[in-house]
Amino acid sequence: MSEIDSLKAQLQELQDKALALFADAANSKVLQELRVAYLGKKGELTSVLKGVGKLPPEDRPVIGQFVNATKNALAEALDKAESMLAEKEKALRIEAERIDVTLPGRKSAQGALHPVQQGLNDMMAIFSQMGFEMAEGPEIEDEFHNFDALNIPAEHPARANHDTFFFDMEGTADTKLLRTHTSPVQIRAMQACVDAGGEPPLAVVASGRVYRCDSDVTHSPMFHQVEVFQVDKDVSLANLKGVLQHFLSAYFEKDVPIRLRPHYFPFTEPSAEVDIGCVFCNHKGCRICKGSGWIEVLGSGMIHPNVLKAVGIDSSVYSGFAFGLGVERLVMLKHGIPDLRLFFENDVRFLRRMGSSK
Ligand code: PHE
């Protein structure tokens, strides 16, 4: 074969191979590499051109044309393959980035009130509708407000029953403690009224945390109470019973029977524990009410004259009732929650199930 024919054959072979490779290139990066490999300065075409120098001068233009044609064919094929790949890659990208607008959205989690807070809110709403004014007192109390003024003097056995958390200053003149009940707010509210030169009528509701040094399935060292009292001329047990009946039916959202059972509290006389008809068996008798049909819900009574005396209210003119309830206990009864500890563990499954954004 003559020199020129062999060159032509080489060029043809090169072109065939290149076009096949271009068509097969998987992506534009591979294609770019092929462009360099064939048309680059050190590429295949250049190395074939080196053979041109060996040809007789008259053959050179002929082969020159041939080389140009090959070069053009390669360049054109490369451009075509490139634009096809670019199209394909764009289509793939669009497909990958496609947003399925029919997919359901992701819900953002919404917080809810803790069941104890919901219970408190519900209870406070009922009492404020009845006209009771809200009051507050400190959680760190002194012995006067938590005990003495409530007719529980220093040696009174009831002090021992209160399982009090004392601050480390016991025996000093201003011993501090964590209040064991919300009854000291009675004292503070009555004092505030008297100090401002006022006098009864007083109708007050207070709520908040209380602390007792015991902890088991039914007791937590911290829990919540709501305290309600009313002082006026001629306030009687009948007023107490009426307020209790209305409150308990409103809170449980049904007519619950109630009964007052004689009891003892130092700060009330007479005192009564209040039972409601068991909400689990509708008053018939079940395991939870131990077959009695009744469940104890709160402590109450007529404010002891000594308590009125301690704050400077004349007990021969005024009388009053008071009661105090455990918020957790009522919430448990209303929602059938079996274990007090659920309120304090903050297991989100419990909180989600109980939660309401009310
Ligand atoms: N303070 C009492 C307690 O915590 C409850 C109570 C309040 C009883 C008011 C009578 C009157 O046990």
Side-chain angles (χ1 to χ4, degrees), residues 258-303:
I258 71 168
R259 76 173 180 188
L260 274 64
R261 219 169 0 88
H263 194 70
Y264 172 77
F265 295 107
F267 31 89
T268 45
E269 180 58 35
S271 303
E273 276 192 327
V274 179
D275 298 341
I276 56 169
C278 178
V279 284
F280 297 103
C281 60
N282 267 328
H283 199 26
K284 288 190 192 73
C286 65
R287 194 174 51 83
I288 293 165
C289 59
K290 297 193 185 84
S292 72
W294 294 100
I295 288 188
E296 184 231 314
V297 290
L298 57 89
S300 70
M302 301 306 294
I303 298 175

Side-chain angles (χ1 to χ4, degrees), residues 162 180-183 186 212 223 225 227-228 265 267-268 271-272 298-301 322-325:
H162 272 237
T180 55
H181 52 175
T182 42
S183 299
Q186 285 183 41
R212 287 185 198 176
F223 61 103
Q225 282 191 335
E227 186 89 12
V228 177
F265 295 107
F267 31 89
T268 45
S271 303
L298 57 89
S300 70
F323 60 91
L325 59 89

